[in-house]
Amino acid sequence: MHVLVFDSGVGGLSVVAEMRKLMSDIYITYVADDAFRPYGEKTETQLKERLPGLLKIMALAVNPDVVVIACNTASTTALAEIRAALDIPVIGVVPAVKPAAQMSKTKTIAVLGTPGTVKRKYVDKLIADFGNGCQVVLHGSIGLVDLAERKLSGQDINIDDIHVEIKPMFLVEQGEKIDVVVLACTHFPLLMKQLKEAAPQQVRWIDSGAAIARRTASVLNKQTLNKVPDYPQTALLIGGQENVTRVKVFAKFGFAKTVIL
Ligand code: DGL
């Protein structure tokens, strides 16, 4: 079973980790669009113009069974267009509003995503359909994307910087009642330890990684699978830069080779 996992950077690795836990024999090709990150600051038009063609080329090049868009910003903006461009199943990442809203005792949750994701109509609809009567605080941060990238490139992360990014989310009216936070960007689970430390109050942090892994397994189960490549599992970094720590991080997540395109 060969899955192409796509993100703007290292965020999709939080999904890869869940996939490897669930499917020990999975073969993954990882594609990071380093050249165009951060997606959270791009317009809907920019993402809709870039992503279908890019994913089509990558899928033709590596011939996976399934494509997983391990990026909330891309999924909430251009999933339909990407699906239309490909003739294999495409799985997207949806902010976990439904489980979070069911879990909240105070009926107050937050959705922490990129500035792009929290503006999308897609998220408004999720809240309308699955918000379970909760008050929902929407908070966008692009700084956390950069901090996750820096952490996985071996740079020190200052907890005060994380605090600055999330503090406003708890300062809105009723913010002190937030008891569940949806991590609506795949980069953010990579900062779990730091987020817990920086949060001014005790909350549960929910991400979609495990759910996406389960969905991928079920889609793969229903398919006739292609032969997996006879080269090692590879991370393809579009326009990325040589960075020894990053290469080691990709190796830790199961990618024996890192190639810069
Ligand atoms: N990891 C991506 C997401 O889930 C986007 C990060 C970015 O490039 O802004 O939204």
Side-chain angles (χ1 to χ4, degrees):
M1 47 176 88
H2 180 185
V3 179
L4 189 161
V5 174
F6 177 81
D7 181 43
S8 64
V10 294
L13 291 176
S14 64
V15 178
V16 165
E18 297 296 337
M19 286 180 175
R20 296 215 189 275
K21 265 192 238 164
L22 191 68
M23 298 168 270
S24 53
D25 53 344
I26 193 168
Y27 182 104
I28 302 176
T29 298
Y30 193 94
V31 180
D33 191 7
D34 286 331
F36 210 59
R37 192 181 58 252
Y39 280 9
E41 280 185 334
K42 302 294 187 289
T43 64
E44 292 195 42
T45 310
Q46 281 176 307
L47 293 172
K48 282 181 180 169
E49 274 174 9
R50 180 174 179 86
L51 296 180
L54 178 60
L55 267 310
K56 187 175 179 170
I57 291 169
M58 298 315 300
L60 280 172
V62 305
N63 196 29
D65 298 303
V66 169
V67 169
V68 174
I69 307 298
C71 173
N72 290 262
T73 314
S75 302
T76 55
T77 308
L79 197 57
E81 289 78 2
I82 297 169
R83 283 194 170 130
L86 271 69
D87 51 14
I88 56 170
V90 179
I91 297 166
V93 183
V94 178
V97 170
K98 189 177 179 184
Q102 284 167 349
M103 228 174 256
S104 175
K105 297 212 165 46
T106 60
K107 290 271 178 201
T108 313
I109 67 169
V111 175
L112 176 61
T114 64
T117 296
V118 299
K119 275 198 304 232
R120 297 292 182 253
K121 284 195 196 73
Y122 190 102
V123 174
D124 291 340
K125 183 159 180 358
L126 270 183
I127 293 168
D129 291 348
F130 303 114
N132 201 22
C134 288
Q135 185 189 337
V136 182
V137 176
L138 292 168
H139 183 64
S141 164
I142 208 70
L144 287 177
V145 175
D146 187 48
L147 285 161
E149 287 290 334
R150 277 162 46 193
K151 180 181 170 191
L152 272 65
S153 295
Q155 295 176 40
D156 283 337
I157 296 300
N158 188 335
I159 209 73
D160 293 340
D161 292 341
I162 307 262
H163 188 72
V164 167
E165 292 298 323
I166 62 172
K167 200 170 89 181
M169 178 168 78
F170 296 102
L171 288 178
V172 299
E173 209 181 319
Q174 314 271 340
E176 74 287 350
K177 282 170 60 187
I178 294 169
D179 63 348
V180 186
V181 177
V182 178
L183 295 176
C185 170
T186 52
H187 277 74
F188 300 170
L190 302 169
L191 295 170
M192 201 61 251
K193 195 169 144 271
Q194 288 82 1
L195 285 167
K196 281 185 180 160
E197 202 181 322
Q201 64 207 50
Q202 189 80 30
V203 294
R204 293 178 75 172
W205 305 88
I206 311 295
D207 80 82
S208 317
I212 299 307
R214 287 195 298 274
R215 173 91 191 113
T216 306
S218 112
V219 171
L220 285 167
N221 259 333
K222 291 184 199 115
Q223 262 180 263
T224 315
L225 302 176
N226 298 330
K227 202 172 149 301
V228 300
D230 53 11
Y231 50 84
Q233 295 186 49
T234 305
L236 304 169
L237 314 180
I238 301 170
Q241 286 174 357
E242 296 286 354
N243 175 303
V244 179
T245 311
R246 216 166 180 242
V247 170
K248 281 189 193 151
V249 165
F250 275 107
K252 223 175 82 191
F253 282 87
F255 301 99
K257 270 184 73 178
T258 305
V259 175
I260 293 175
L261 300 180

PDB file of all heavy atoms in Angstrom, residues 7-12 33 36-42 69-76 93 113-115 117 141-142 145-146 149 183-188, ligand 1:
ATOM      1  N   ASP A   7       1.856  18.058   2.292  1.00  0.00           N
ATOM      2  CA  ASP A   7       1.632  19.241   3.136  1.00  0.00           C
ATOM      3  C   ASP A   7       2.523  20.372   2.617  1.00  0.00           C
ATOM      4  O   ASP A   7       3.394  20.153   1.769  1.00  0.00           O
ATOM      5  CB  ASP A   7       1.956  18.929   4.607  1.00  0.00           C
ATOM      6  CG  ASP A   7       1.719  20.126   5.532  1.00  0.00           C
ATOM      7  OD1 ASP A   7       0.682  20.800   5.375  1.00  0.00           O
ATOM      8  OD2 ASP A   7       2.560  20.406   6.407  1.00  0.00           O
ATOM      9  N   SER A   8       2.347  21.546   3.186  1.00  0.00           N
ATOM     10  CA  SER A   8       3.203  22.675   2.794  1.00  0.00           C
ATOM     11  C   SER A   8       4.604  22.537   3.396  1.00  0.00           C
ATOM     12  O   SER A   8       5.531  23.214   2.970  1.00  0.00           O
ATOM     13  CB  SER A   8       2.581  23.985   3.290  1.00  0.00           C
ATOM     14  OG  SER A   8       2.557  23.990   4.703  1.00  0.00           O
ATOM     15  N   GLY A   9       4.739  21.686   4.404  1.00  0.00           N
ATOM     16  CA  GLY A   9       6.037  21.525   5.073  1.00  0.00           C
ATOM     17  C   GLY A   9       6.049  20.260   5.902  1.00  0.00           C
ATOM     18  O   GLY A   9       5.582  19.220   5.437  1.00  0.00           O
ATOM     19  N   VAL A  10       6.518  20.387   7.165  1.00  0.00           N
ATOM     20  CA  VAL A  10       6.646  19.184   8.007  1.00  0.00           C
ATOM     21  C   VAL A  10       5.340  18.798   8.713  1.00  0.00           C
ATOM     22  O   VAL A  10       5.284  17.761   9.369  1.00  0.00           O
ATOM     23  CB  VAL A  10       7.757  19.366   9.080  1.00  0.00           C
ATOM     24  CG1 VAL A  10       9.126  19.475   8.429  1.00  0.00           C
ATOM     25  CG2 VAL A  10       7.484  20.568   9.984  1.00  0.00           C
ATOM     26  N   GLY A  11       4.293  19.636   8.600  1.00  0.00           N
ATOM     27  CA  GLY A  11       3.050  19.377   9.331  1.00  0.00           C
ATOM     28  C   GLY A  11       2.477  17.984   9.106  1.00  0.00           C
ATOM     29  O   GLY A  11       2.015  17.329  10.042  1.00  0.00           O
ATOM     30  N   GLY A  12       2.535  17.525   7.876  1.00  0.00           N
ATOM     31  CA  GLY A  12       1.972  16.213   7.554  1.00  0.00           C
ATOM     32  C   GLY A  12       2.645  15.068   8.308  1.00  0.00           C
ATOM     33  O   GLY A  12       2.095  13.962   8.377  1.00  0.00           O
ATOM     34  N   ASP A  33       5.640  21.190   0.166  1.00  0.00           N
ATOM     35  CA  ASP A  33       5.717  22.328  -0.760  1.00  0.00           C
ATOM     36  C   ASP A  33       6.431  23.498  -0.078  1.00  0.00           C
ATOM     37  O   ASP A  33       5.853  24.574   0.127  1.00  0.00           O
ATOM     38  CB  ASP A  33       4.293  22.708  -1.186  1.00  0.00           C
ATOM     39  CG  ASP A  33       4.276  23.688  -2.352  1.00  0.00           C
ATOM     40  OD1 ASP A  33       5.354  23.973  -2.913  1.00  0.00           O
ATOM     41  OD2 ASP A  33       3.173  24.172  -2.694  1.00  0.00           O
ATOM     42  N   PHE A  36       6.226  27.201  -1.360  1.00  0.00           N
ATOM     43  CA  PHE A  36       5.006  28.021  -1.336  1.00  0.00           C
ATOM     44  C   PHE A  36       4.447  28.210   0.082  1.00  0.00           C
ATOM     45  O   PHE A  36       3.399  28.784   0.277  1.00  0.00           O
ATOM     46  CB  PHE A  36       3.945  27.391  -2.247  1.00  0.00           C
ATOM     47  CG  PHE A  36       2.991  28.382  -2.874  1.00  0.00           C
ATOM     48  CD1 PHE A  36       3.458  29.406  -3.689  1.00  0.00           C
ATOM     49  CD2 PHE A  36       1.617  28.296  -2.659  1.00  0.00           C
ATOM     50  CE1 PHE A  36       2.569  30.315  -4.272  1.00  0.00           C
ATOM     51  CE2 PHE A  36       0.716  29.192  -3.235  1.00  0.00           C
ATOM     52  CZ  PHE A  36       1.205  30.206  -4.043  1.00  0.00           C
ATOM     53  N   ARG A  37       5.136  27.661   1.099  1.00  0.00           N
ATOM     54  CA  ARG A  37       4.700  27.822   2.477  1.00  0.00           C
ATOM     55  C   ARG A  37       4.951  29.261   2.929  1.00  0.00           C
ATOM     56  O   ARG A  37       5.951  29.843   2.509  1.00  0.00           O
ATOM     57  CB  ARG A  37       5.480  26.836   3.368  1.00  0.00           C
ATOM     58  CG  ARG A  37       4.916  26.707   4.768  1.00  0.00           C
ATOM     59  CD  ARG A  37       5.710  25.750   5.644  1.00  0.00           C
ATOM     60  NE  ARG A  37       7.097  26.129   5.773  1.00  0.00           N
ATOM     61  CZ  ARG A  37       8.114  25.477   5.195  1.00  0.00           C
ATOM     62  NH1 ARG A  37       7.900  24.420   4.441  1.00  0.00           N
ATOM     63  NH2 ARG A  37       9.352  25.890   5.351  1.00  0.00           N
ATOM     64  N   PRO A  38       4.126  29.823   3.846  1.00  0.00           N
ATOM     65  CA  PRO A  38       2.983  29.195   4.491  1.00  0.00           C
ATOM     66  C   PRO A  38       1.690  29.317   3.675  1.00  0.00           C
ATOM     67  O   PRO A  38       1.370  30.385   3.171  1.00  0.00           O
ATOM     68  CB  PRO A  38       2.854  29.977   5.805  1.00  0.00           C
ATOM     69  CG  PRO A  38       3.382  31.340   5.489  1.00  0.00           C
ATOM     70  CD  PRO A  38       4.444  31.147   4.435  1.00  0.00           C
ATOM     71  N   TYR A  39       0.967  28.217   3.595  1.00  0.00           N
ATOM     72  CA  TYR A  39      -0.312  28.218   2.887  1.00  0.00           C
ATOM     73  C   TYR A  39      -1.334  29.118   3.596  1.00  0.00           C
ATOM     74  O   TYR A  39      -2.230  29.673   2.971  1.00  0.00           O
ATOM     75  CB  TYR A  39      -0.880  26.796   2.821  1.00  0.00           C
ATOM     76  CG  TYR A  39      -0.285  25.925   1.738  1.00  0.00           C
ATOM     77  CD1 TYR A  39       0.822  26.339   0.991  1.00  0.00           C
ATOM     78  CD2 TYR A  39      -0.834  24.675   1.468  1.00  0.00           C
ATOM     79  CE1 TYR A  39       1.342  25.520  -0.002  1.00  0.00           C
ATOM     80  CE2 TYR A  39      -0.326  23.859   0.475  1.00  0.00           C
ATOM     81  CZ  TYR A  39       0.762  24.286  -0.258  1.00  0.00           C
ATOM     82  OH  TYR A  39       1.272  23.477  -1.241  1.00  0.00           O
ATOM     83  N   GLY A  40      -1.201  29.210   4.917  1.00  0.00           N
ATOM     84  CA  GLY A  40      -2.180  29.955   5.716  1.00  0.00           C
ATOM     85  C   GLY A  40      -2.247  31.432   5.378  1.00  0.00           C
ATOM     86  O   GLY A  40      -3.173  32.125   5.796  1.00  0.00           O
ATOM     87  N   GLU A  41      -1.267  31.923   4.628  1.00  0.00           N
ATOM     88  CA  GLU A  41      -1.283  33.337   4.237  1.00  0.00           C
ATOM     89  C   GLU A  41      -1.642  33.518   2.770  1.00  0.00           C
ATOM     90  O   GLU A  41      -1.661  34.634   2.268  1.00  0.00           O
ATOM     91  CB  GLU A  41       0.098  33.965   4.497  1.00  0.00           C
ATOM     92  CG  GLU A  41       0.292  34.326   5.950  1.00  0.00           C
ATOM     93  CD  GLU A  41       1.601  35.045   6.201  1.00  0.00           C
ATOM     94  OE1 GLU A  41       2.553  34.854   5.417  1.00  0.00           O
ATOM     95  OE2 GLU A  41       1.674  35.774   7.197  1.00  0.00           O
ATOM     96  N   LYS A  42      -1.868  32.420   2.072  1.00  0.00           N
ATOM     97  CA  LYS A  42      -2.190  32.515   0.642  1.00  0.00           C
ATOM     98  C   LYS A  42      -3.705  32.682   0.456  1.00  0.00           C
ATOM     99  O   LYS A  42      -4.492  32.275   1.313  1.00  0.00           O
ATOM    100  CB  LYS A  42      -1.723  31.250  -0.098  1.00  0.00           C
ATOM    101  CG  LYS A  42      -0.228  30.976   0.054  1.00  0.00           C
ATOM    102  CD  LYS A  42       0.624  32.041  -0.616  1.00  0.00           C
ATOM    103  CE  LYS A  42       2.101  31.718  -0.634  1.00  0.00           C
ATOM    104  NZ  LYS A  42       2.794  31.798   0.644  1.00  0.00           N
ATOM    105  N   ILE A  69      -4.148  14.674   1.617  1.00  0.00           N
ATOM    106  CA  ILE A  69      -3.793  16.090   1.756  1.00  0.00           C
ATOM    107  C   ILE A  69      -3.734  16.362   3.264  1.00  0.00           C
ATOM    108  O   ILE A  69      -4.748  16.655   3.905  1.00  0.00           O
ATOM    109  CB  ILE A  69      -4.847  17.001   1.068  1.00  0.00           C
ATOM    110  CG1 ILE A  69      -5.066  16.575  -0.399  1.00  0.00           C
ATOM    111  CG2 ILE A  69      -4.425  18.469   1.152  1.00  0.00           C
ATOM    112  CD1 ILE A  69      -3.850  16.669  -1.292  1.00  0.00           C
ATOM    113  N   ALA A  70      -2.533  16.230   3.824  1.00  0.00           N
ATOM    114  CA  ALA A  70      -2.360  16.333   5.286  1.00  0.00           C
ATOM    115  C   ALA A  70      -2.168  17.793   5.684  1.00  0.00           C
ATOM    116  O   ALA A  70      -1.208  18.148   6.375  1.00  0.00           O
ATOM    117  CB  ALA A  70      -1.179  15.477   5.729  1.00  0.00           C
ATOM    118  N   CYS A  71      -3.090  18.606   5.243  1.00  0.00           N
ATOM    119  CA  CYS A  71      -3.003  20.051   5.456  1.00  0.00           C
ATOM    120  C   CYS A  71      -4.422  20.603   5.513  1.00  0.00           C
ATOM    121  O   CYS A  71      -5.187  20.471   4.546  1.00  0.00           O
ATOM    122  CB  CYS A  71      -2.245  20.690   4.286  1.00  0.00           C
ATOM    123  SG  CYS A  71      -2.254  22.487   4.322  1.00  0.00           S
ATOM    124  N   ASN A  72      -4.777  21.174   6.649  1.00  0.00           N
ATOM    125  CA  ASN A  72      -6.131  21.717   6.799  1.00  0.00           C
ATOM    126  C   ASN A  72      -6.379  22.884   5.849  1.00  0.00           C
ATOM    127  O   ASN A  72      -7.472  23.020   5.298  1.00  0.00           O
ATOM    128  CB  ASN A  72      -6.342  22.225   8.234  1.00  0.00           C
ATOM    129  CG  ASN A  72      -6.402  21.106   9.253  1.00  0.00           C
ATOM    130  OD1 ASN A  72      -7.472  20.677   9.647  1.00  0.00           O
ATOM    131  ND2 ASN A  72      -5.249  20.628   9.667  1.00  0.00           N
ATOM    132  N   THR A  73      -5.367  23.725   5.664  1.00  0.00           N
ATOM    133  CA  THR A  73      -5.551  24.913   4.827  1.00  0.00           C
ATOM    134  C   THR A  73      -5.857  24.507   3.386  1.00  0.00           C
ATOM    135  O   THR A  73      -6.784  25.025   2.761  1.00  0.00           O
ATOM    136  CB  THR A  73      -4.293  25.806   4.869  1.00  0.00           C
ATOM    137  OG1 THR A  73      -3.867  25.935   6.219  1.00  0.00           O
ATOM    138  CG2 THR A  73      -4.570  27.171   4.288  1.00  0.00           C
ATOM    139  N   ALA A  74      -5.086  23.544   2.876  1.00  0.00           N
ATOM    140  CA  ALA A  74      -5.316  23.073   1.509  1.00  0.00           C
ATOM    141  C   ALA A  74      -6.658  22.339   1.407  1.00  0.00           C
ATOM    142  O   ALA A  74      -7.415  22.543   0.454  1.00  0.00           O
ATOM    143  CB  ALA A  74      -4.175  22.153   1.082  1.00  0.00           C
ATOM    144  N   SER A  75      -6.954  21.503   2.402  1.00  0.00           N
ATOM    145  CA  SER A  75      -8.185  20.694   2.333  1.00  0.00           C
ATOM    146  C   SER A  75      -9.435  21.557   2.412  1.00  0.00           C
ATOM    147  O   SER A  75     -10.414  21.311   1.702  1.00  0.00           O
ATOM    148  CB  SER A  75      -8.239  19.675   3.475  1.00  0.00           C
ATOM    149  OG  SER A  75      -7.125  18.826   3.445  1.00  0.00           O
ATOM    150  N   THR A  76      -9.417  22.577   3.297  1.00  0.00           N
ATOM    151  CA  THR A  76     -10.627  23.392   3.445  1.00  0.00           C
ATOM    152  C   THR A  76     -10.787  24.382   2.286  1.00  0.00           C
ATOM    153  O   THR A  76     -11.793  25.067   2.188  1.00  0.00           O
ATOM    154  CB  THR A  76     -10.615  24.180   4.787  1.00  0.00           C
ATOM    155  OG1 THR A  76      -9.410  24.947   4.865  1.00  0.00           O
ATOM    156  CG2 THR A  76     -10.711  23.258   5.975  1.00  0.00           C
ATOM    157  N   VAL A  93      -7.921  16.576   5.264  1.00  0.00           N
ATOM    158  CA  VAL A  93      -7.950  16.711   6.724  1.00  0.00           C
ATOM    159  C   VAL A  93      -8.985  17.767   7.092  1.00  0.00           C
ATOM    160  O   VAL A  93      -8.916  18.895   6.623  1.00  0.00           O
ATOM    161  CB  VAL A  93      -6.593  17.188   7.278  1.00  0.00           C
ATOM    162  CG1 VAL A  93      -6.636  17.256   8.802  1.00  0.00           C
ATOM    163  CG2 VAL A  93      -5.483  16.280   6.834  1.00  0.00           C
ATOM    164  N   GLY A 113      -6.214  27.291  14.010  1.00  0.00           N
ATOM    165  CA  GLY A 113      -5.721  26.890  12.685  1.00  0.00           C
ATOM    166  C   GLY A 113      -4.852  27.992  12.099  1.00  0.00           C
ATOM    167  O   GLY A 113      -4.407  28.894  12.812  1.00  0.00           O
ATOM    168  N   THR A 114      -4.632  27.921  10.791  1.00  0.00           N
ATOM    169  CA  THR A 114      -3.926  29.030  10.148  1.00  0.00           C
ATOM    170  C   THR A 114      -4.952  30.157   9.918  1.00  0.00           C
ATOM    171  O   THR A 114      -6.167  29.901   9.932  1.00  0.00           O
ATOM    172  CB  THR A 114      -3.335  28.606   8.790  1.00  0.00           C
ATOM    173  OG1 THR A 114      -4.396  28.274   7.904  1.00  0.00           O
ATOM    174  CG2 THR A 114      -2.365  27.437   8.945  1.00  0.00           C
ATOM    175  N   PRO A 115      -4.489  31.393   9.670  1.00  0.00           N
ATOM    176  CA  PRO A 115      -5.432  32.477   9.398  1.00  0.00           C
ATOM    177  C   PRO A 115      -6.352  32.140   8.219  1.00  0.00           C
ATOM    178  O   PRO A 115      -7.520  32.528   8.202  1.00  0.00           O
ATOM    179  CB  PRO A 115      -4.520  33.670   9.061  1.00  0.00           C
ATOM    180  CG  PRO A 115      -3.226  33.351   9.758  1.00  0.00           C
ATOM    181  CD  PRO A 115      -3.085  31.855   9.712  1.00  0.00           C
ATOM    182  N   THR A 117      -7.403  28.988   7.219  1.00  0.00           N
ATOM    183  CA  THR A 117      -8.393  27.963   7.590  1.00  0.00           C
ATOM    184  C   THR A 117      -9.533  28.552   8.412  1.00  0.00           C
ATOM    185  O   THR A 117     -10.705  28.272   8.134  1.00  0.00           O
ATOM    186  CB  THR A 117      -7.709  26.823   8.384  1.00  0.00           C
ATOM    187  OG1 THR A 117      -6.763  26.191   7.523  1.00  0.00           O
ATOM    188  CG2 THR A 117      -8.715  25.800   8.872  1.00  0.00           C
ATOM    189  N   SER A 141      -3.249  31.440  13.548  1.00  0.00           N
ATOM    190  CA  SER A 141      -1.843  31.782  13.848  1.00  0.00           C
ATOM    191  C   SER A 141      -0.944  31.265  12.737  1.00  0.00           C
ATOM    192  O   SER A 141      -0.962  30.071  12.417  1.00  0.00           O
ATOM    193  CB  SER A 141      -1.428  31.141  15.172  1.00  0.00           C
ATOM    194  OG  SER A 141      -0.006  31.146  15.283  1.00  0.00           O
ATOM    195  N   ILE A 142      -0.170  32.164  12.160  1.00  0.00           N
ATOM    196  CA  ILE A 142       0.817  31.733  11.180  1.00  0.00           C
ATOM    197  C   ILE A 142       2.161  31.522  11.889  1.00  0.00           C
ATOM    198  O   ILE A 142       2.991  30.718  11.477  1.00  0.00           O
ATOM    199  CB  ILE A 142       0.916  32.744   9.995  1.00  0.00           C
ATOM    200  CG1 ILE A 142       1.358  32.046   8.720  1.00  0.00           C
ATOM    201  CG2 ILE A 142       1.817  33.915  10.271  1.00  0.00           C
ATOM    202  CD1 ILE A 142       0.352  31.127   8.122  1.00  0.00           C
ATOM    203  N   VAL A 145       3.062  27.967  12.728  1.00  0.00           N
ATOM    204  CA  VAL A 145       3.543  27.158  11.599  1.00  0.00           C
ATOM    205  C   VAL A 145       5.063  27.294  11.513  1.00  0.00           C
ATOM    206  O   VAL A 145       5.805  26.306  11.433  1.00  0.00           O
ATOM    207  CB  VAL A 145       2.886  27.607  10.264  1.00  0.00           C
ATOM    208  CG1 VAL A 145       3.485  26.849   9.079  1.00  0.00           C
ATOM    209  CG2 VAL A 145       1.379  27.427  10.311  1.00  0.00           C
ATOM    210  N   ASP A 146       5.507  28.533  11.589  1.00  0.00           N
ATOM    211  CA  ASP A 146       6.940  28.810  11.508  1.00  0.00           C
ATOM    212  C   ASP A 146       7.679  28.191  12.701  1.00  0.00           C
ATOM    213  O   ASP A 146       8.768  27.623  12.545  1.00  0.00           O
ATOM    214  CB  ASP A 146       7.128  30.331  11.460  1.00  0.00           C
ATOM    215  CG  ASP A 146       8.570  30.703  11.201  1.00  0.00           C
ATOM    216  OD1 ASP A 146       9.151  30.109  10.274  1.00  0.00           O
ATOM    217  OD2 ASP A 146       9.114  31.560  11.926  1.00  0.00           O
ATOM    218  N   GLU A 149       8.104  24.534  12.111  1.00  0.00           N
ATOM    219  CA  GLU A 149       9.168  24.310  11.112  1.00  0.00           C
ATOM    220  C   GLU A 149      10.538  24.495  11.760  1.00  0.00           C
ATOM    221  O   GLU A 149      11.450  23.716  11.539  1.00  0.00           O
ATOM    222  CB  GLU A 149       9.015  25.277   9.931  1.00  0.00           C
ATOM    223  CG  GLU A 149       7.857  24.970   8.997  1.00  0.00           C
ATOM    224  CD  GLU A 149       8.060  23.704   8.153  1.00  0.00           C
ATOM    225  OE1 GLU A 149       9.203  23.328   7.891  1.00  0.00           O
ATOM    226  OE2 GLU A 149       7.037  23.105   7.766  1.00  0.00           O
ATOM    227  N   LEU A 183      -6.889  21.366  17.115  1.00  0.00           N
ATOM    228  CA  LEU A 183      -5.661  21.718  16.397  1.00  0.00           C
ATOM    229  C   LEU A 183      -5.962  21.573  14.907  1.00  0.00           C
ATOM    230  O   LEU A 183      -5.871  20.484  14.342  1.00  0.00           O
ATOM    231  CB  LEU A 183      -4.504  20.817  16.834  1.00  0.00           C
ATOM    232  CG  LEU A 183      -4.095  20.988  18.302  1.00  0.00           C
ATOM    233  CD1 LEU A 183      -3.017  19.984  18.673  1.00  0.00           C
ATOM    234  CD2 LEU A 183      -3.626  22.401  18.584  1.00  0.00           C
ATOM    235  N   ALA A 184      -6.360  22.685  14.290  1.00  0.00           N
ATOM    236  CA  ALA A 184      -6.830  22.654  12.910  1.00  0.00           C
ATOM    237  C   ALA A 184      -5.720  22.991  11.924  1.00  0.00           C
ATOM    238  O   ALA A 184      -5.957  23.611  10.881  1.00  0.00           O
ATOM    239  CB  ALA A 184      -8.013  23.615  12.756  1.00  0.00           C
ATOM    240  N   CYS A 185      -4.508  22.621  12.262  1.00  0.00           N
ATOM    241  CA  CYS A 185      -3.361  22.733  11.364  1.00  0.00           C
ATOM    242  C   CYS A 185      -2.440  21.579  11.732  1.00  0.00           C
ATOM    243  O   CYS A 185      -2.156  21.364  12.920  1.00  0.00           O
ATOM    244  CB  CYS A 185      -2.645  24.065  11.559  1.00  0.00           C
ATOM    245  SG  CYS A 185      -1.057  24.150  10.685  1.00  0.00           S
ATOM    246  N   THR A 186      -2.004  20.836  10.722  1.00  0.00           N
ATOM    247  CA  THR A 186      -1.219  19.622  11.012  1.00  0.00           C
ATOM    248  C   THR A 186       0.164  19.935  11.586  1.00  0.00           C
ATOM    249  O   THR A 186       0.812  19.054  12.148  1.00  0.00           O
ATOM    250  CB  THR A 186      -1.072  18.761   9.739  1.00  0.00           C
ATOM    251  OG1 THR A 186      -0.569  19.597   8.670  1.00  0.00           O
ATOM    252  CG2 THR A 186      -2.404  18.161   9.337  1.00  0.00           C
ATOM    253  N   HIS A 187       0.615  21.180  11.457  1.00  0.00           N
ATOM    254  CA  HIS A 187       1.890  21.550  12.085  1.00  0.00           C
ATOM    255  C   HIS A 187       1.780  21.577  13.616  1.00  0.00           C
ATOM    256  O   HIS A 187       2.763  21.365  14.315  1.00  0.00           O
ATOM    257  CB  HIS A 187       2.334  22.955  11.632  1.00  0.00           C
ATOM    258  CG  HIS A 187       3.048  22.987  10.313  1.00  0.00           C
ATOM    259  ND1 HIS A 187       2.404  22.816   9.116  1.00  0.00           N
ATOM    260  CD2 HIS A 187       4.365  23.167  10.020  1.00  0.00           C
ATOM    261  CE1 HIS A 187       3.280  22.913   8.124  1.00  0.00           C
ATOM    262  NE2 HIS A 187       4.488  23.118   8.646  1.00  0.00           N
ATOM    263  N   PHE A 188       0.575  21.893  14.129  1.00  0.00           N
ATOM    264  CA  PHE A 188       0.467  22.205  15.551  1.00  0.00           C
ATOM    265  C   PHE A 188       0.674  21.014  16.496  1.00  0.00           C
ATOM    266  O   PHE A 188       1.260  21.204  17.566  1.00  0.00           O
ATOM    267  CB  PHE A 188      -0.866  22.935  15.838  1.00  0.00           C
ATOM    268  CG  PHE A 188      -1.033  24.247  15.098  1.00  0.00           C
ATOM    269  CD1 PHE A 188      -2.252  24.922  15.085  1.00  0.00           C
ATOM    270  CD2 PHE A 188       0.032  24.830  14.399  1.00  0.00           C
ATOM    271  CE1 PHE A 188      -2.406  26.130  14.407  1.00  0.00           C
ATOM    272  CE2 PHE A 188      -0.110  26.032  13.708  1.00  0.00           C
ATOM    273  CZ  PHE A 188      -1.333  26.681  13.711  1.00  0.00           C
TER     274      PHE A 188
HETATM  275  N1  DGL B   1       0.029  22.344   7.814  1.00  0.00           N
HETATM  276  C1  DGL B   1      -0.882  23.183   7.161  1.00  0.00           C
HETATM  277  C2  DGL B   1      -2.279  23.058   7.733  1.00  0.00           C
HETATM  278  O1  DGL B   1      -2.646  22.017   8.230  1.00  0.00           O
HETATM  279  C3  DGL B   1      -0.567  24.596   6.764  1.00  0.00           C
HETATM  280  C4  DGL B   1       0.601  25.342   7.253  1.00  0.00           C
HETATM  281  C5  DGL B   1       0.882  26.533   6.334  1.00  0.00           C
HETATM  282  O2  DGL B   1       1.604  26.332   5.359  1.00  0.00           O
HETATM  283  O3  DGL B   1       0.357  27.625   6.601  1.00  0.00           O
HETATM  284  O4  DGL B   1      -3.061  23.972   7.666  1.00  0.00           O
END
